[in-house]
């Protein structure tokens, strides 16, 4: 047994120190980034924000809303091949490969489906492939990443989830372009409670970003996604400041008219369903059963109806631009260079939550 005494931080543990700035308006802050990659020969330009690959937000409908904003939708694993064929054909065919990601697990049936997608020529519609398992420390992930890289030399490959530097580096060296970082921070995730495993998310992002950014060649360097635990737009800003190249989240995309999940009326109020991918709800609804050896590591929640997603997108992008003006960053790329974090007590950072909860 060993105890790591270093202090590790979460989004709630820090604030950003304001800095002198020559920016006069939020409009001057650009949130677009252009990335090249360690393996993939593609160049990607957009706002590096993406949906979680969850049933409630990794949907076709979300892609149609987010792609015009140059943001990415990472599809959930429950779409079948005929669903994709329909989505990519006809007069409403979706035609923006740069803003969608195909998600696969590493089970034989997941890989068989990916192979069929490939032979049916459907993978040409995607720039990204997201290889996603809750515990990215299993050896088999590395093998699957190398195999998928060989089959898809041009695609931008995402792999995760992990929270530490060595494995992040290993994933890049084995074929991933982007490492997905986060074990346990998700709002619908109960991994920390059920297993005791996890890593404070801000520190995980700082450490993994620092590690993979150091792996570079003539074309590009390793990149990271900060996945989960962003409760407010400020958390998204803090993740970018911590070195995240992309931000992925689910709960902030939940509760809107356009989010998937049933709308439920209770005591005269409207709610939308939000549930973790490993919740009993997801396992029963999408896989038809829960394996005997598995415990649920996700929860089901009813989120108060929040209205129209487009208003949220405007608020989110406006808040990020505002962070840029406070810290003197003209472009998203400069956020991490300009950022100084101040450690604060969580109580201070969460002081608004008493109002959210109606206290
Ligand atoms: P959120 O935005 O809700 O804080 O976090 C979304 C992230 O939580 C997802 O991208 C995924 O990494 C993680 N997640 C989603 N569902 C589950 C689940 O059922 N269990 C666990 N452990 N993590 C989940």
């Amino acid at each position: 047994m060993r105890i790591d005494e270093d202090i590790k931080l979460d989004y709630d543990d820090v604030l950003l120190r304001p800095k002198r700035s020559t920016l006069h308006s939020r409009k001057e802050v650009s949130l677009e980034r252009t990335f090249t990659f360690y393996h993939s020969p593609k160049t990607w330009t957009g706002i590096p924000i993406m949906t979680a690959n969850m049933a409630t937000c990794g949907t076709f409908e979300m892609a149609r809303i987010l792609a015009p904003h140059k943001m990415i939708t990472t599809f959930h694993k429950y779409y079948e091949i005929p669903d994709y064929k329909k989505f990519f054909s006809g007069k409403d065919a979706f035609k923006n490969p740069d803003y969608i990601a195909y998600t696969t697990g590493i089970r034989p049936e997941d890989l068989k489906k990916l192979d069929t997608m490939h032979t049916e020529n459907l993978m040409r519609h995607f720039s990204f492939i997201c290889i996603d398992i809750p515990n990215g420390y299993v050896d088999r992930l590395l093998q699957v990443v190398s195999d998928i890289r060989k089959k898809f030399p041009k695609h931008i490959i995402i792999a995760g989830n992990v929270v530490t530097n060595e494995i992040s580096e290993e994933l890049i060296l084995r074929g991933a372009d982007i490492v997905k970082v986060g074990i346990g921070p998700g709002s619908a995730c109960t991994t920390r409670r059920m297993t005791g495993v996890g890593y404070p998310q801000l520190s995980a992002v700082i450490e993994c970003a620092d590690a993979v950014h150091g792996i570079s060649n003539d074309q590009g360097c390793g990149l990271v996604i900060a996945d989960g635990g962003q409760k407010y737009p400020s958390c998204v800003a803090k993740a970018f400041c911590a070195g995240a190249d992309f931000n992925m989240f689910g709960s902030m995309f939940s509760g809107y008219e356009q989010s998937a999940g049933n709308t439920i009326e209770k005591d005269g109020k409207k709610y939308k369903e939000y549930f973790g991918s490993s919740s009993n709800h997801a396992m029963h609804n999408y896989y038809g059963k829960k394996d005997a050896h598995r415990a649920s590591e996700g929860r089901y929640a009813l989120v108060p109806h929040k209205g129209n997603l487009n208003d949220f997108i405007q608020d989110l992008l406006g808040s990020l631009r505002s962070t840029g003006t406070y810290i003197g960053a003209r472009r998203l790329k400069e956020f991490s260079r300009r950022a100084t974090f101040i450690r604060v007590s969580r109580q201070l950072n969460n002081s608004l939550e008493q109002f959210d909860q109606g206290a």
Side-chain angles (χ1 to χ4, degrees):
M1 190 276 286
R2 223 190 115 222
I3 298 183
D4 187 346
E5 301 275 2
D6 288 352
I7 291 174
K8 304 291 176 191
L9 303 169
D10 244 314
Y11 296 125
D12 282 348
D13 296 317
V14 296
L15 286 171
L16 288 159
R17 181 201 289 256
K19 299 229 165 116
R20 190 167 168 184
S21 157
T22 53
L23 291 159
H24 299 295
S25 146
R26 295 173 184 196
K27 276 194 227 125
E28 294 173 49
V29 178
S30 161
L31 298 178
E32 274 197 23
R33 288 208 62 177
T34 295
F35 290 115
T36 51
F37 303 91
Y38 188 72
H39 297 280
S40 166
K42 289 182 193 289
T43 298
W44 182 89
T45 298
I47 298 183
I49 288 178
M50 56 216 299
T51 70
N53 52 336
M54 297 169 76
T56 48
C57 57
T59 61
F60 293 156
E61 188 177 14
M62 211 52 122
R64 293 194 194 280
I65 297 169
L66 295 184
H69 294 279
K70 300 191 178 177
M71 298 200 276
I72 301 165
T73 300
T74 315
F75 292 135
H76 59 66
K77 295 177 192 165
Y78 316 114
Y79 284 128
E80 295 297 341
I81 288 166
D83 301 323
Y84 283 117
K85 283 189 174 158
K86 208 164 145 202
F87 184 60
F88 293 125
S89 61
K91 72 172 172 35
D92 292 329
F94 187 86
K95 290 195 187 87
N96 257 321
D98 277 356
Y99 304 113
I100 50 173
Y102 177 82
T103 304
T104 179
I106 62 169
R107 299 172 310 164
E109 55 269 40
D110 299 322
L111 300 176
K112 197 168 153 221
K113 185 162 133 196
L114 177 61
D115 272 345
T116 314
M117 289 286 292
H118 190 32
T119 47
E120 301 250 354
N121 209 10
L122 289 166
M123 289 310 292
R124 73 181 196 285
H125 297 292
F126 295 89
S127 289
F128 293 85
I129 300 175
C130 175
I131 311 169
D132 178 60
I133 57 172
N135 173 7
Y137 289 78
V138 297
D139 254 5
R140 192 167 144 63
L141 176 65
L142 294 170
Q143 187 54 50
V144 170
V145 168
S146 323
D147 294 346
I148 293 184
R149 169 53 67 204
K150 274 186 214 121
K151 265 188 211 151
F152 299 94
K154 296 203 172 142
H155 280 72
I156 304 160
I157 295 181
I158 301 167
N161 276 22
V162 297
V163 283
T164 47
N165 51 359
E166 295 95 342
I167 187 79
S168 300
E169 288 167 353
E170 184 77 20
L171 283 167
I172 298 288
L173 293 171
R174 292 288 194 104
D177 294 296
I178 312 176
V179 174
K180 196 148 77 76
V181 177
I183 293 188
S187 65
C189 165
T190 56
T191 298
R192 289 178 183 174
R193 185 182 295 174
M194 299 300 279
T195 68
V197 176
Y199 208 97
Q201 183 67 351
L202 184 85
S203 290
V205 171
I206 292 172
E207 291 169 27
C208 296
D210 190 49
V212 306
H213 289 164
I215 300 184
S216 63
N217 55 23
D218 293 347
Q219 195 178 271
C221 69
L223 301 175
V224 296
I225 297 171
D227 174 19
Q230 301 93 328
K231 287 189 276 186
Y232 312 108
S234 57
C235 305
V236 179
K238 289 173 188 174
F240 283 130
C241 288
D245 302 291
F246 292 82
N247 256 277
M248 171 185 273
F249 43 85
S251 71
M252 281 205 297
F253 283 119
S254 70
Y256 293 99
E257 196 52 48
Q258 299 93 333
S259 317
N262 294 323
T263 304
I264 288 172
E265 296 238 9
K266 223 170 139 186
D267 305 328
K269 286 192 183 139
K270 266 203 287 183
Y271 296 86
K272 286 229 75 146
E273 292 181 315
Y274 182 61
F275 49 88
S277 308
S278 320
S279 61
N280 282 331
H281 184 82
M283 285 192 267
H284 285 295
N285 281 274
Y286 294 97
Y287 292 118
K289 65 175 171 47
K290 188 172 88 177
D291 295 338
H293 63 278
R294 287 187 73 149
S296 160
E297 282 181 31
R299 70 181 127 225
Y300 171 94
L302 289 179
V303 179
H305 200 285
K306 300 182 200 160
N308 192 312
L309 180 69
N310 289 301
D311 296 335
F312 162 69
I313 294 172
Q314 203 177 331
D315 273 358
L316 171 67
L317 302 184
S319 304
L320 288 172
R321 288 196 182 95
S322 192
T323 303
T325 59
Y326 274 114
I327 63 172
R330 203 168 282 278
R331 295 180 298 155
L332 190 57
K333 191 179 176 185
E334 294 165 16
F335 273 38
S336 66
R337 241 181 295 145
R338 296 288 301 171
T340 302
F341 286 117
I342 314 158
R343 274 186 61 202
V344 294
S345 74
R346 282 186 176 213
Q347 214 177 352
L348 178 77
N349 224 338
N350 289 334
S351 56
L352 281 175
E353 283 181 1
Q354 59 185 306
F355 296 107
D356 296 343
Q357 285 155 16

